[in-house]
Amino acid sequence: MAALLGRSCRKLSFPSLSHGARRVSTETGKSLNLYSAINQALHIALDTDPWSYVFGEDVGFGGVFRCTTGLAERFGKNRVFNTPLCEQGIVGFGIGLAAMGNRAIVEIQFADYIYPAFDQIVNEAAKFRYRSGNQFNCGGLTIRAPYGAVGHGGHYHSQSPEAFFCHVPGIKVVIPRSPREAKGLLLSCIRDPNPVVFFEPKWLYRQAVEEVPEHDYMIPLSEAEVIREGNDITLVGWGAQLTIMEQACLDAEKEGISCELIDLKTLLPWDKETVEASVKKTGRLLISHEAPVTGGFGAEISATILERCFLKLEAPVSRVCGLDTPFPLVFEPFYMPTKNKILDAIKSTVNY
Amino acid sequence: MALHLRSSFSSKSTLLNILRHNLGFGSRSHVTRHIRQILPHDPPLRGSQNPISRLCNTMAEPETLSSFVQHEYANNHQVMDFPGGKVAFTPEIQFISESDKERVPCYRVLDDNGQLITNSQFVQVSEEVAVKIYSDMVTLQIMDNIFYEAQRQGRLSFYATAIGEEAINIASAAALTPQDVIFPQYREPGVLLWRGFTLQEFANQCFGNKSDYGKGRQMPVHYGSNKLNYFTVSATIATQLPNAVGAAYSLKMDKKDACAVTYFGDGGTSEGDFHAALNFAAVMEAPVLFICRNNGWAISTPTSDQFRSDGVVVKGRAYGIRSIRVDGNDALAMYSAVHTAREMAIREQRPILIEALTYRVGHHSTSDDSTRYRSAGEIEWWNKARNPLSRFRTWIESNGWWSDKTESDLRSRIKKEMLEALRVAEKTEKPNLQNMFSDVYDVPPSNLREQELLVRQTINSHPQDYPSDVPL
């Protein structure tokens, strides 16, 4: 690129996924919570690529969720810095940095505030490579945002906006379920040659603790994982919701129902093959997410699986999701797709 | 005192506290003047990890701490201390006026007749550069007219001209270097032209044929060229502005002798991205030029319906950005302003705002008939009396660098080339269907591979539904 005139843009390099690609579940590491695992991933990302940057509101002192602790001290304020309070500026600036061959790891303070940046994400980031005929790209862009219910977040600290982004060809959408997953997935997102939106389940920042390998490892994108095997019904979810679904599976097992639980991990582009294979085995599908049910990503999964597995289905696809209201405060317990709502849906699906 | 301080600080706040305590000053700007004197000379910010030097550059200029304030503080402590620094207070209710009595003057060098204004300051151009500037302005004008006509004839789906804004396009490009990265709106093909984009390359994009670098994916005039450091046009207004700031920051970190340059119209300054970008550029101390083509119209919306400030130049100050208003139809002034601004931006690592006043002689695009909202007389006047080409032509002719003969030779050559480029582009086949599915991601994911198969099956079943000029 531009050899004649002296390259203004740097070519991003992408370490191959073959090393450390598979999560080595036997490896042990330190016990970390989610924000510490993410923090480790960011330290590794900045350490392994001198042209990577972390910025957003309040990231300098460590961030409101401590995900960026220690980065500014270690890598300097030119690489890790606070930005003005302006999401469209943060993402727009990140796109420009990425377009020049850098890795721009952008933080949006809450997913609830990502909307001012939606134009930049949809009309610039997602189309940057395509519209230029691959002359340009902003693959080095990764947007991180905490999402999801937290018990007291109300309208503007609890949203799950993933469905909006899953409708945008050109970006990827990734949601980790645990600290170990988050570190490996985030490193993959940062190093993926496409712009990625990475939603972090804020509920798990402190709540989830897991052994996380200390080295540099990556978990592949667009590969769903069967985290619990079963024969009677397939459950698909992502992020914090999987913990709830897992509890429902345990309860269902006591009643003789064998549940297969799949973590989708990447919602766009999503791994249809794994879900399809599972549903062909079980004949039943249940999807659960916090986001409102209407137009939620569960609808996409349901429609696709119906197309592919219609004759194998023993029951309609079930969706246990948030309600079609703004995320309420006092009514949060009623809004949420709880373990018992899921359990009831499992039973009625199995008994259809 | 100075010696003591040189060795004793470990952090910015410690130093400030020491100074505040020992020297009796609270204002950051006052203190930073002392920091500048006390610390050993720092290299410029580029790549520096010293938080203090970064802070120093963003401080208000020392002049803001007026002698009045200094006096007041020294004698009466009649100032108020806020996190942002010290400000004098006043017992009078005083509002800053919504506008200055005088509008910001407009920098120009050539008068309406192309005569050099006496005592004008400008950057010298060589004959070679001046002739290229003029020739490229003529080329742009001819290219625009021929493409416009081609659209009227149904050969092109769409076109947008830059007629009337040739000086902004070409002269600004001439003042930059090839390493400066461009983030255009959509009315700046002249910058590409200057850098060497050929008429054929323009035509290929307009026809979306297989030689189009954009692979036929976008409407005409959505050019892009990575070898010429010109980022691909997107139709969304002002979205390129924050991108340019990020790119400028990259250049800054790499310590490049280059800046980012972004263009936009008067309408674009109303978008949120304008505010976002200027604020970021100032805070990040990014070497970026914001060039506003204030051509009086955003489609049918005149500037009086767009903003109520004194144009765009005054908005720079709100962000702490140095700004200039220039006559956009004066190629020499444009060249000088951009040249000077670029040097400032890179040397001082700061953004600069340039408001180039001009007039959009053409319609907004081929989908617009501007006589519906403005008088044909107005358009005609700007095209004749204030034409940027004739003004510059007078000047280069007065230097003996141009003549009627060179003019007519150039025009007939370009016209021939243009028509040939059109002919070739029209005949060239479209890009292969596979190009619909590539480059959405770096590698097509499974859903796209699947969809391509499905589309191809449908084409087999219903070939009549599909254009025959797209190879499968």
Side-chain angles (χ1 to χ4, degrees), chain B residues 173-229:
Chain B
L176 303 171
T177 71
Q179 283 72 37
D180 299 320
V181 296
I182 310 291
F183 286 81
Q185 183 63 76
Y186 49 65
R187 224 181 279 287
E188 304 91 15
V191 179
L192 264 180
L193 187 65
W194 174 269
R195 291 184 168 191
F197 213 61
T198 64
L199 298 178
Q200 191 63 66
E201 287 172 313
F202 283 112
N204 290 337
Q205 195 283 329
C206 288
F207 282 90
N209 63 36
K210 74 168 195 260
S211 304
D212 168 25
Y213 302 129
K215 300 183 188 169
R217 291 160 181 164
Q218 289 210 88
M219 288 166 70
V221 310
H222 290 62
Y223 312 111
S225 166
N226 67 345
K227 75 177 190 294
L228 300 180
N229 284 324

Side-chain angles (χ1 to χ4, degrees), chain B residues 409-470:
Chain B
D409 283 353
L410 176 70
R411 283 190 179 266
S412 65
R413 176 170 67 80
I414 297 298
K415 184 165 174 207
K416 240 198 296 248
E417 270 180 44
M418 253 319 291
L419 293 173
E420 177 64 10
L422 259 184
R423 194 188 63 79
V424 169
E426 205 166 20
K427 270 181 32 214
T428 307
E429 64 179 4
K430 301 299 182 213
N432 187 287
L433 176 68
Q434 174 262 335
N435 286 292
M436 180 161 107
F437 299 96
S438 57
D439 304 331
V440 180
Y441 298 91
D442 63 316
V443 168
S446 61
N447 58 318
L448 284 181
R449 293 197 305 270
E450 203 181 290
Q451 286 167 22
E452 183 173 352
L453 283 171
L454 288 171
V455 167
R456 287 183 185 278
Q457 280 170 19
T458 310
I459 295 168
N460 274 338
S461 313
H462 307 279
Q464 73 283 358
D465 285 352
Y466 301 99
S468 52
D469 60 349
V470 176

Side-chain angles (χ1 to χ4, degrees), chain B residues 64-89:
Chain B
T64 59
L65 191 59
S66 66
S67 53
F68 171 78
V69 173
Q70 292 178 48
H71 179 263
E72 283 294 294
Y73 191 76
N75 296 335
N76 310 324
H77 297 260
Q78 300 289 305
V79 290
M80 297 170 79
D81 197 352
F82 284 96
K86 277 202 167 353
V87 292
F89 69 68

Side-chain angles (χ1 to χ4, degrees), chain A residues 5 78 124 130 171 194 308, chain B residues 48 179 227 249 441 450:
Chain A
L5 301 164
N78 291 332
E124 294 294 313
Y130 192 75
I171 57 170
N194 299 287
R308 293 175 172 225
Chain B
S48 163
Q179 283 72 37
K227 75 177 190 294
Y249 192 77
Y441 298 91
E450 203 181 290

